[in-house]
Amino acid sequence: MTDHPEFGTSRERVEEQVRRWCERARLDGRRPPLSDAAAVAIAAGRLDEPTRTVLAARRRVGKTMPSIGGFAAIRVLADERERWLGKDTRNKPGSALVYRLRAAELTKRLDHLRTALVMSNKHYANGVRAVRRDRRDGVHLDLDQRDALFDALRRTPVPKREAGTVVERTGLSMLDSAAERVAGAAKNTRFEDLGGRASTVIAELADQRDDVFSDRYETLLFLAGASFDRVRASPAWRSEHFVVQRTQLDLADELTQIAVDAHSLREIDSELDGIAALIFDGATRTQVATRRTALDAVWAQLIDRVAALVRVADLVNRAEGELRTMDVIQQAHSLDDRIDALVARAGNRELSAANTHFVGDQLT
């Protein structure tokens, strides 16, 4: 199943849809959190080149990272901690203590996850000889590199709905149900139009059916990671039918390179915003606008690369259905052959049974 069946899989249509999603910072529908593999590939885009090289080498030889129940959880906890720390405590002395305690609890949980990722004896070399061997093979991560990786994983793209509190999610669910009840109660009555409008307003308040992000960069990276996961999870992609394509496209490396450019572009974009907010003369404003125009080409290229990943995911999923149909046809042909063979042997079985009965008749 594709993420956007109404748009098909032509390059132009997919690219236009990706551009629209990113500019709205909203993806239609809901998707699962990114896999650990996607999260690490995206996080690598925030790290220096030597660390990225080691991560790629580890991936190629099958060295795994410590599992903590999903790296996306790091981002969720980090965002929740920031929300508690950022709450207004003026004129709320009692609440201030509660907020600090909650933030401290989340800090402790994050520290525990950091220790699990950074200090795992199972996943990293221990002892001088083992470390030397891994360094020689290019697969050793130093402590500071692991720390940097954890910090980068704290920025794993996560839809805003994932970061909501239980109370917020419950409230939105209640609003969603209320919208359906209002529409249902007003149906076939003279209040149907009014009920429909009220239902629409409530539904808009509970608009958590889509994945919503903080900006276009988060949207872009999450979409790229989700497409990466869709391709990797496809049995068709892992089959012999796509052997050539698997050698032509290193999915993890492509995702990391997209993340590198996206992070760099976001930083420059933010710096330009800061400059624009401080300047007042027309000449400098014109220069900033010119530089932004130059960066538009980089953004367009990123859109194109992510659209290519989305398209590959759609086409692989479509091929999966076709290969499944081919398997069914092959099974049917195989079943036909077995039925024919069984029927052909039926005559022999009949003669055998007759012979056995003949022997029995002689014994009576």
Side-chain angles (χ1 to χ4, degrees), residues 139-338:
V139 295
H140 179 68
L141 285 170
D142 291 328
L143 279 174
D144 58 340
Q145 290 176 313
R146 299 176 218 167
D147 262 324
L149 174 60
F150 183 87
D151 290 336
L153 286 169
R154 291 177 60 169
R155 305 297 298 275
T156 298
V158 171
K160 286 184 178 180
R161 64 179 176 83
E162 294 291 345
T165 65
V166 173
V167 173
E168 289 169 344
R169 289 195 293 271
T170 302
L172 289 167
S173 178
M174 293 172 62
L175 280 172
D176 206 12
S177 300
E180 294 178 1
R181 290 198 299 271
V182 168
K187 190 175 182 180
N188 298 323
T189 71
R190 60 195 181 96
F191 300 107
E192 183 169 0
D193 289 341
L194 180 61
R197 289 196 295 273
S199 173
T200 299
V201 171
I202 295 175
E204 287 176 352
L205 291 174
D207 187 12
Q208 292 294 306
R209 297 183 181 87
D210 295 340
D211 284 334
V212 182
F213 300 86
S214 58
D215 59 28
R216 65 179 187 173
Y217 299 104
E218 289 256 314
T219 313
L220 182 88
L221 290 173
F222 183 88
L223 181 57
S227 301
F228 166 91
D229 285 339
R230 290 174 61 208
V231 176
R232 287 182 74 251
S234 171
W237 179 253
R238 300 192 300 270
S239 72
E240 61 181 15
H241 297 280
F242 290 104
V243 171
V244 175
Q245 287 78 9
R246 288 200 302 272
T247 61
Q248 293 173 332
L249 176 61
D250 186 330
L251 288 168
D253 182 66
E254 177 65 11
L255 183 55
T256 294
Q257 294 307 317
I258 288 172
V260 169
D261 289 346
H263 295 321
S264 297
L265 183 59
R266 174 192 261 160
E267 288 178 1
I268 295 173
D269 203 10
S270 177
E271 289 178 19
L272 285 176
D273 284 342
I275 293 172
L278 295 174
I279 59 178
F280 301 98
D281 63 288
T284 308
R285 287 186 179 278
T286 300
Q287 185 179 3
V288 169
T290 301
R291 303 314 297 162
R292 284 195 186 282
T293 302
L295 292 176
D296 287 344
V298 179
W299 175 249
Q301 186 183 56
L302 281 171
I303 290 289
D304 185 41
R305 293 175 72 176
V306 174
L309 270 183
V310 172
R311 185 164 176 263
V312 168
D314 287 347
L315 292 171
V316 166
N317 287 171
R318 176 182 295 182
E320 187 175 326
E322 293 172 353
L323 291 175
R324 198 177 298 120
T325 301
M326 289 172 59
D327 289 340
V328 172
I329 293 174
Q330 289 174 356
Q331 289 175 8
H333 286 320
S334 175
L335 187 59
D336 285 342
D337 294 340
R338 289 159 58 195

